[in-house]
Amino acid sequence: MRILRFLAGLGLTAALLACGGGGGNAGTPLSGAGSAAAGATAAAPTLTLSLVDAAGAALSSNAIGGGAVAYAKAVLLDAAGAPVANKLVTFAADAAVATLAQTSVLTNTSGVASTQISAVGLSGNAGTLTASATVVSGTTTSTLSQTVDFQTTASNVSLAALSAQPSSINALQTSAVSVQATVNGVTPSGGSISVTFAASCGTFSPASASTNNLGVATSTYQSTAACSGPVTVTASASGATTVQTNIQVAAIQAANLVFVGASAPLMVLSSTSGGVKQSTLTYQVLDSAGAGMSGQDVVMSLSSTAKSAGVTFSVGGASSAADQTVSTDAAGKAQVVVSAGTVPTPVVVTASLKSNSTVTAASNNVTVTTGRAAQNKVSLSSDKFAIEGWSIDGAQATLTMRVADRQSNPIPVGSVVNFVASHGLVTGSCSIDADSLCTVTYRSQGTRPSNGRGVVMAYMEGEEAFVDLNSNNIWDSGETFTDLGVLFRDDNEDGTAQVTEPTYPGGSTGATACTANTGVVKSVAGTCDGTWSSAIRVRQQVTIAWSSSTANITSAGARTVGGFSVSVTDINGNAMATDTTVAGAVVTSGAKCAVLSVSNSPVNNSPNAGQHFVRLNGEADCATSLVDVTVTSPSGTKSVTSF
């Protein structure tokens, strides 16, 4: 027995020596900073990696998906087996198989770093998960890496409880739509299921949405103007049966009616020759989004004032003052044609929705006028009645023709005024603008007028002026009027047509005596017709002096110590050019007398010569002191005369 105990003890000692020495565990590095026993493995940091569920339990067969939440868990220990805190762990996974909530995570005080891992798609697949970390201990740096292969589980997705809030809306309004999703009967993790929304009319924003942590996907339905009645909305997801519900959408209603405009804002009387006598008025029905609505009935009504002035609707070639019902076109527009009557008046047509008479719009800035210029309402003016054109080409003036009808209203835009001149160049015509006027340029060139005076005539189609005693806007027998005949240009300004002066026939003329030619209204004698006419040529003429650059300066009265008058003319006895200045200066040496001012400087804007008063300061020697009067033309030419 003693021999047996001895042999057993000897065997146990040999076994312990073979395991690396007393107290050690097979395969486990020695702890501590000292050297390991001969043949032993040195201690080192460790990194372990596993897949766990939300409770931290290891996943069976490393399978993720199926609606359950899974995490990648890494545990980092130092060489002594103690947790390593605040150390960066990097995770990576096959992107086509799984996604990671975070790829870089710091370890906690237990040396644990974890991140959620989610399957990509709902079908089964397999991949590899990797965790890496670097640990420095003294002068030793350890780079650790662990991998785990995993499997994604094919999922059975279900959608249910599709709902819309509110479930009844008006066209162009919105509704919040939500649906519940489950995977294998379990609420999926946030964002794991993508749900697509669609509608039989209208749109969704977004068209696709991911489930939240409660497994609910939501989107906003937007109805359009075309939607009405029950609208079917659907929700679908990969692998799931589509679900649907209805949203009741009320048809869109007209929200506004506007007056768009008139083809002819200014019409002329139906009794007037020429001019526009009809205008097309356009209205538009709009929905709450500002889009035109087709197929809407609009009732058009003339104002009582327009009716009393004879304004009517033109319907199929016939005239009617009765209300008209017009349906809107594809753009939501409705049109009606109005015809002018015999009396000038504003034209007000009120449009209203047949379905809702409180929605209305009225025309504006549409008017019936006589439409023709009346002789007593036209005038021709010039910014310069004397230009320095006697010896200078290109001196010019701007002429303006202003016109109005017999009611002093503007005439139609675009009406043409013609111009003719005895000398120089004048723009041949101009068109009346919205201010009922137009302008042309008159310029010096060519042969100079022998008397230094050029004549410009302006004329256009119009009517004779009359006194409307009964205010019916129509000339009646016995009412005074200005009878006009054939127009002539009075080049010599004597009021009588000469055989050498041009005529411009047109309009209603005859062979009777005419109203005496006064001022700028010119008619050839014996060419009037004795009755009022709405078809004659209204006319005006002006005289423009072609002034010389040098001036004649002569005394125009007795001299006193208070001053004296001088006459200033050009070489033809006409006015010096507009903007010519007149100045005076005492030139007697040592004189106390001085020129205080010169009146009418610059010269008056007229073709005719004028006088200028040289005002002196009243000193006694003003009676004998020499005074120079200097006239300076616009071109700078100076003429000096001493007095």
Side-chain angles (χ1 to χ4, degrees):
M1 291 295 293
R2 292 180 179 173
I3 295 174
L4 290 175
R5 291 192 184 104
F6 173 77
L7 291 175
L10 183 59
L12 178 60
T13 301
L16 290 172
L17 291 174
C19 289
N25 293 319
T28 300
L30 295 176
S31 61
S35 300
T41 303
T46 60
L47 177 66
T48 58
L49 177 63
S50 61
L51 292 170
V52 299
D53 61 17
L59 295 181
S60 175
S61 303
N62 285 348
I64 67 172
V69 178
Y71 295 89
K73 177 182 179 182
V75 180
L76 183 61
L77 304 177
D78 63 15
V84 180
N86 299 318
K87 183 58 65 175
L88 182 67
V89 176
T90 302
F91 294 93
D94 295 341
V97 181
T99 60
L100 297 167
Q102 292 177 270
T103 56
S104 298
V105 183
L106 289 179
T107 57
N108 60 19
T109 56
S110 298
V112 175
S114 63
T115 184
Q116 185 177 344
I117 182 169
S118 303
V120 173
L122 301 174
S123 60
N125 209 336
T128 299
L129 172 68
T130 302
S132 303
T134 300
V135 179
V136 178
S137 178
T139 59
T140 302
T141 299
S142 300
T143 300
L144 309 175
S145 180
Q146 289 290 320
T147 62
V148 170
D149 294 331
F150 62 93
Q151 178 77 38
T152 61
T153 303
S155 303
N156 180 21
V157 180
S158 297
L159 298 177
L162 178 63
S163 64
Q165 295 296 330
S167 58
S168 295
I169 60 175
N170 293 325
L172 301 178
Q173 290 185 336
T174 61
S175 178
V177 178
S178 63
V179 66
Q180 176 70 56
T182 58
V183 178
N184 297 332
V186 178
T187 300
S189 58
S192 61
I193 304 299
S194 177
V195 179
T196 300
F197 295 91
S200 59
C201 180
T203 60
F204 272 96
S205 179
S208 295
S210 296
T211 54
N212 60 19
N213 289 334
L214 299 177
V216 177
T218 60
S219 184
T220 300
Y221 167 73
Q222 172 71 65
S223 62
T224 65
C227 299
S228 64
V231 172
T232 301
V233 296
T234 60
S236 59
S238 178
T241 300
T242 298
V243 293
Q244 65 181 39
T245 190
N246 288 334
I247 297 177
Q248 193 66 33
V249 180
I252 194 168
Q253 300 296 313
N256 198 9
L257 179 60
V258 297
F259 174 62
V260 177
S263 62
L266 201 63
M267 294 180 285
V268 300
L269 297 177
S270 58
S271 58
T272 301
S273 61
V276 178
K277 300 179 178 66
Q278 287 189 333
S279 181
T280 300
L281 310 186
T282 302
Y283 300 80
Q284 189 175 29
V285 178
L286 304 174
D287 61 27
S288 56
M293 295 185 65
S294 64
Q296 303 295 306
D297 285 340
V298 179
V299 179
M300 309 287 189
S301 302
L302 279 165
S303 68
S304 58
T305 302
K307 288 180 181 179
S308 64
V311 177
T312 60
F313 291 120
S314 179
V315 184
S319 296
S320 174
D323 292 355
Q324 302 295 313
T325 299
V326 183
S327 186
T328 57
D329 61 16
K333 293 182 179 179
Q335 294 183 328
V336 67
V337 178
V338 292
S339 298
T342 59
V343 178
T345 182
V347 177
V348 178
V349 174
T350 300
S352 60
L353 283 177
K354 189 173 183 179
S355 61
N356 184 357
S357 60
T358 62
V359 180
T360 65
S363 59
N364 56 67
N365 297 326
V366 182
T367 306
V368 175
T369 73
T370 65
R372 299 178 72 79
Q375 179 61 59
N376 64 336
K377 298 295 177 69
V378 302
S379 64
L380 178 63
S381 60
S382 177
D383 67 334
K384 296 176 182 177
F385 286 101
I387 58 176
E388 195 174 352
W390 183 253
S391 58
I392 297 176
D393 276 349
Q396 63 184 39
T398 298
L399 306 180
T400 300
M401 183 73 160
R402 292 175 169 84
V403 298
D405 68 13
R406 75 175 80 113
Q407 298 290 337
S408 295
N409 298 136
I411 71 169
V413 172
S415 300
V416 176
V417 180
N418 295 287
F419 291 82
V420 291
S422 63
H423 296 82
L425 177 144
V426 65
T427 305
S429 65
C430 62
S431 297
I432 294 298
D433 62 18
D435 292 325
S436 209
L437 58 84
C438 68
T439 61
V440 297
T441 299
Y442 179 60
R443 188 173 69 214
S444 64
Q445 64 183 65
T447 302
R448 269 52 184 172
S450 59
N451 62 354
R453 297 170 74 85
V455 173
V456 182
M457 173 70 72
Y459 61 91
M460 69 181 302
E461 301 305 313
E463 65 180 29
E464 294 170 335
F466 72 92
V467 179
D468 189 11
L469 295 176
N470 59 5
S471 300
N472 65 352
N473 203 45
I474 300 173
W475 179 80
D476 297 305
S477 179
E479 291 180 331
T480 303
F481 68 96
T482 301
D483 202 6
L484 297 175
V486 173
L487 166 67
F488 78 97
R489 192 182 66 220
D490 191 11
D491 289 347
N492 66 0
E493 304 176 77
D494 68 350
T496 303
Q498 310 294 327
V499 294
T500 57
E501 293 174 330
T503 60
Y504 304 92
S508 177
T509 58
T512 65
C514 297
T515 304
N517 287 324
T518 57
V520 293
V521 181
K522 312 292 183 180
S523 292
V524 176
T527 60
C528 293
D529 61 3
T531 186
W532 177 83
S533 175
S534 64
I536 54 94
R537 288 185 167 175
V538 296
R539 69 288 305 261
Q540 292 275 291
Q541 85 169 37
V542 294
T543 299
I544 307 292
W546 291 40
S547 306
S548 61
S549 298
T550 57
N552 289 329
I553 310 169
T554 59
S555 175
R559 175 174 175 173
T560 69
V561 294
F564 58 95
S565 294
V566 295
S567 175
V568 176
T569 69
D570 78 340
I571 62 174
N572 293 304
N574 299 315
M576 290 295 289
T578 302
D579 297 329
T580 295
T581 60
V582 181
V586 174
V587 295
T588 299
S589 177
K592 293 182 178 180
C593 183
V595 175
L596 298 179
S597 63
V598 177
S599 64
N600 295 329
S601 179
V603 300
N604 293 331
N605 186 16
S606 166
N608 305 313
Q611 290 188 355
H612 305 265
F613 184 74
V614 181
R615 183 184 174 202
L616 303 176
N617 62 2
E619 293 287 344
D621 60 356
C622 284
T624 56
S625 295
L626 190 64
V627 179
D628 281 352
V629 175
T630 302
V631 176
T632 305
S633 73
S635 68
T637 300
K638 295 182 181 297
S639 302
V640 181
T641 299
S642 298
F643 294 89

